[in-house]
Amino acid sequence: MATKHEQILKHIDGLPVGEKISVRQIAKALNVSEGTAYRAIKEAENQGYVSSIERVGTIRIEKKKKENIEKLTFAEVVNIVDGQVLGGKTGLHKTLNKFVIGAMKLDAMMRYTGAGNLLIVGNRTQAHEHALKAGAAVLITGGFDTEEPVKRLADELEMPVISTSYDTFTVATMINRAIYDQLIKKEILLVEDILTPVQETTFLTVGDRVQTWHELNQESGHSRFPVVDDNMKVQGMVTSKDIIGQEEMTLIDKVMTKNPMTVGDKMSVASSAHMMVWEGIELIPVVNDSHILKGIVSRQDVLKALQMSQRQPQVGETIDDTITSQLVMTSNRGKGEEVYNYGVTPQMTNYLGTISSGVFTTLVTDSANRALRSYKRGDLVVENMTIYFIKPVQIDSTLEIHPRVLDVGRKFGKVDVEVFNQGKLVGKAMLTCQLLDRS
């Protein structure tokens, strides 16, 4: 049976898009406490199909698909720009397809403004009215209000008119930043993107016997299965090692490994790969917050997904991407002994004007990774790192980075990295990396 929390989430998911939700209403409808209702609403907000707006309330919005992630709902815009909704509250769940900055004459502005757009404009009442009639929402900058007829029109057309105290440039930057952050999140592969869903997963129950394991083994060709109870909660894991020498009629829960390692569906694939390789696990159950089986992932699935993600074109650049893209190889002294140059830009420094310790750490890590890759193809996870900052590095310095592979085995590599500025040693590091073998 589903928990109360899961029942509430299912109920919210079934509500029509645009409907208002309140803690009291949910508590009453499902006969639960207000605390339980509140926690479920917050979870729905985290999962992206509910949005809470000050002075408006909580509304059901459309859950974005991964390919649609660069689109925002008007409700999300309100939260991004700390806005106040002046009219058209019932349209907050709608999605905007582009935003237009109204810094031109009215007729020119309207040529660019169409249905589903968001017009960002100051206190130009005529523009507000024309945009609404064209099927666009309006975001008024500078903290200005609009006239009552415009608010009534917004309510009638169910298109929001929002006011924010920020100026037009800041608002456009904030919305762009929100879209950009979502694009970066889109690139991060999660376990839910690659799992074999529970409908296609072969599993055993605690009441099954060893005989059933043999039957499933014959049918599927697999030897590892999660074990669940009557509520589909994962209780154990059973493999061929557990079965050897056991009687056919022995209960599975007598031979299984209890409290096995599991991963959450929202965990990153990189983290699960690290866990599986470190623990030597070939197959791991995927569970939700209530420990209910959602599916399984195998070590092969995880490593294949990591390989694929590295071949994808990058859409949103992270800080690490920005730093490492400027790391240039200048000479190659042999296997695992390349030399890299890096110019310290103002963006990469701290308030004292010296290189940020985070940037320095990223440079050391990336150069070590590159050195190890000349020995082994595959993904790397830093297991241990010791850094010595010997001398401060100023803006506009050019660093020379010398990674040297000391030892490389099947699962681990050790790298020594020295960093020079104008021939003087400014930093040193020793890294131990775990190698995620793609076999």
Side-chain angles (χ1 to χ4, degrees):
M1 242 183 75
T3 62
K4 282 183 180 176
H5 183 77
E6 287 165 329
Q7 285 171 354
I8 302 167
L9 285 175
K10 199 172 178 184
H11 173 76
I12 295 170
D13 200 16
L15 293 173
V17 170
E19 181 146 327
K20 276 188 89 167
I21 299 164
S22 77
V23 170
R24 193 168 291 170
Q25 163 212 330
I26 295 284
K28 199 174 171 188
L30 294 174
N31 196 22
V32 293
S33 73
E34 291 195 357
T36 306
Y38 175 79
R39 282 191 294 276
I41 289 170
K42 278 291 160 204
E43 174 65 20
E45 202 172 334
N46 293 338
Q47 290 184 20
Y49 56 92
V50 158
S51 184
S52 295
I53 302 165
E54 212 179 322
R55 295 188 292 275
V56 172
T58 305
I59 56 168
R60 170 82 168 85
I61 59 171
E62 207 167 335
K63 190 170 182 179
K64 283 197 285 286
K65 296 188 180 106
K66 270 214 164 187
E67 61 271 17
N68 250 357
I69 207 142
E70 58 272 30
K71 293 189 175 179
L72 297 169
T73 61
F74 296 118
E76 287 172 298
V77 171
V78 176
N79 288 329
I80 291 162
V81 301
D82 303 325
Q84 186 183 343
V85 184
L86 305 177
K89 288 177 185 176
T90 47
L92 282 167
H93 64 278
K94 294 176 182 173
T95 306
L96 70 106
N97 48 35
K98 78 168 185 180
F99 62 87
V100 180
I101 295 175
M104 52 194 104
K105 285 186 176 175
L106 188 61
D107 56 344
M109 201 189 299
M110 286 309 117
R111 279 205 297 276
Y112 290 98
T113 310
N117 293 179
L118 175 69
L119 177 67
I120 302 172
V121 70
N123 57 340
R124 297 169 66 180
T125 311
Q126 258 191 311
H128 306 164
E129 193 179 329
H130 279 70
L132 288 168
K133 286 177 178 170
V138 179
L139 176 55
I140 306 167
T141 57
F144 293 108
D145 202 342
T146 189
E147 291 175 5
E148 287 306 317
V150 173
K151 293 178 187 176
R152 284 198 295 274
L153 183 63
D155 288 339
E156 193 185 305
L157 298 174
E158 298 189 346
M159 265 320 220
V161 173
I162 305 157
S163 173
T164 176
S165 55
Y166 296 111
D167 63 90
T168 305
F169 175 78
T170 306
V171 162
T173 307
M174 288 164 98
I175 294 173
N176 262 330
R177 179 74 254 175
I179 291 171
Y180 198 69
D181 284 350
Q182 289 187 338
L183 286 168
I184 289 171
K185 282 183 191 169
K186 173 186 173 182
E187 287 168 16
I188 298 169
L189 268 181
L190 301 179
V191 168
E192 67 178 357
D193 300 324
I194 65 160
L195 62 76
T196 302
V198 70
Q199 308 86 276
E200 296 165 34
T201 300
T202 310
F203 55 86
L204 289 156
T205 68
V206 284
D208 284 332
R209 298 182 185 274
V210 167
Q211 179 186 350
T212 317
W213 180 92
H214 285 293
E215 287 164 9
L216 289 180
N217 176 240
Q218 286 291 314
E219 276 173 43
S220 64
H222 297 302
S223 60
R224 297 174 172 83
F225 305 105
V227 183
V228 298
D229 63 16
D230 295 341
N231 296 323
M232 287 300 287
K233 287 191 176 182
V234 174
Q235 299 298 323
M237 195 77 193
V238 66
T239 71
S240 50
K241 283 181 194 166
D242 304 316
I243 298 297
I244 292 167
Q246 297 294 341
E247 296 288 328
E248 293 276 291
M249 296 313 285
T250 306
L251 284 168
I252 284 292
D253 74 340
K254 297 280 184 267
V255 299
M256 70 185 186
T257 302
K258 290 182 174 146
N259 304 318
M261 293 192 80
T262 58
V263 291
D265 52 358
K266 298 291 179 197
M267 185 188 251
S268 73
V269 168
S271 297
S272 60
H274 181 257
M275 185 194 290
M276 290 174 85
V277 172
W278 182 248
E279 298 290 340
I281 299 168
E282 290 296 327
L283 184 134
I284 199 163
V286 181
V287 296
N288 67 8
D289 292 342
S290 306
H291 217 66
I292 286 167
L293 184 68
K294 304 290 287 182
I296 51 166
V297 286
S298 70
R299 183 173 151 172
Q300 272 182 319
D301 293 336
V302 161
L303 296 178
K304 197 190 288 180
L306 285 175
Q307 258 177 304
M308 288 298 292
S309 70
Q310 287 191 343
R311 295 194 195 123
Q312 298 304 311
Q314 297 300 299
V315 185
E317 214 179 44
T318 62
I319 289 171
D320 273 18
D321 295 332
T322 308
I323 297 165
T324 56
S325 64
Q326 294 166 34
L327 193 63
V328 181
M329 191 201 288
T330 52
S331 72
N332 194 339
R333 299 176 172 184
K335 206 173 186 189
E337 286 200 31
E338 300 90 354
V339 176
Y340 296 94
N341 272 10
Y342 181 80
V344 181
T345 62
Q347 188 189 4
M348 301 304 167
T349 58
N350 57 26
Y351 72 100
L352 296 169
T354 61
I355 192 167
S356 151
S357 54
V359 171
F360 193 87
T361 306
T362 300
L363 291 173
V364 164
T365 308
D366 194 62
S367 61
N369 279 356
R370 293 188 196 192
L372 276 170
R373 280 205 184 100
S374 61
Y375 283 85
K376 280 230 172 195
R377 303 304 301 165
D379 299 292
L380 305 153
V381 177
V382 175
E383 201 60 59
N384 204 327
M385 172 163 48
T386 309
I387 294 186
Y388 300 95
F389 298 98
I390 296 163
K391 284 192 167 97
V393 177
Q394 303 298 320
I395 290 176
D396 298 331
S397 303
T398 300
L399 296 179
E400 203 173 81
I401 302 166
H402 297 243
R404 189 162 51 94
V405 175
L406 302 176
D407 183 22
V408 86
R410 202 167 63 85
K411 286 196 174 180
F412 286 96
K414 285 183 184 168
V415 189
D416 176 67
V417 183
E418 292 186 323
V419 183
F420 296 89
N421 181 20
Q422 295 179 336
K424 289 180 183 165
L425 188 68
V426 293
K428 198 170 167 53
M430 173 74 80
L431 296 91
T432 306
C433 300
Q434 191 186 126
L435 310 169
L436 305 186
D437 199 357
R438 285 180 180 162
S439 58

